[in-house]
Amino acid sequence: MASIQILDKSFVPYISKEKIQLRIEEIANDINQKFEGKKPIFLAILNGSFMFVSDLFKEITIESEISFVKLISYEGTSSTGTVKKALGLETDLHDRHVIIVEDIVDTGNTMASFIPDLEKSGAATITLVTLLHKPDATVKDVKIDYCGFSIPDKFVVGYGLDYDQLGRNLPEIYQLVD
Ligand code: IMP
């Protein structure tokens, strides 16, 4: 398989565009059924999820909204550690069905600090959709409702995911060659 080079690292094709698209259709079908009549709001976590959410949202046929947020880290109290704050969230989420769209759950730290924060918004339900999950790397208890692909604990790029900000434009997912 043709490998690619990004900066100092080599990557090989890992999950094809077609495979991603088929999985997205399955996830979208489930969401369309489950959230019919509930007008969910998709909350896309930037930057990594932009390509995934774009393809996923095209397959959503029910009435729904979308909003884009960027999570920034700031130091919480010693008991909470690093907390993620959402920038760009202007919609009132009270009583709304929120569907978080993430690129990857790795250690789980990001979602483990963001979801409790989101719960304070008074959302009716919070659902987590992630394209990728590295179960062997996850140290936090994060409930994933929809997962595209469960993958080994190896670095991946492409389809929105970056290596040092590069590789996001690749239409499929590549895995690091070690
Ligand atoms: P977590 O907080 O460790 O779960 O990681 C969350 C963020 O780390 C993701 O949203 C990604 O932006 C980034 N990340 C984790 N693993 C990878 C990877 O293999 N490739 C690219 N980005 C990654």
Side-chain angles (χ1 to χ4, degrees), residues 159-176:
Y159 197 69
L161 290 105
D162 74 301
Y163 169 47
D164 212 2
Q165 297 307 324
L166 298 175
R168 293 194 198 273
N169 51 321
L170 295 163
E172 51 197 354
I173 295 169
Y174 287 72
Q175 188 181 57
L176 178 69

Side-chain angles (χ1 to χ4, degrees), residues 104-106 132-138 150-156:
I104 183 166
V105 174
D106 182 22
L132 303 170
H133 179 213
K134 290 180 183 169
D136 295 342
T138 306
S150 212
I151 63 169
D153 186 10
K154 271 196 179 184
F155 196 79
V156 287

Side-chain angles (χ1 to χ4, degrees), residues 38-52:
K38 294 186 168 163
K39 199 166 75 171
I41 176 160
F42 288 76
L43 211 57
I45 310 297
L46 295 174
N47 294 331
S49 77
F50 79 95
M51 230 181 248
F52 173 45

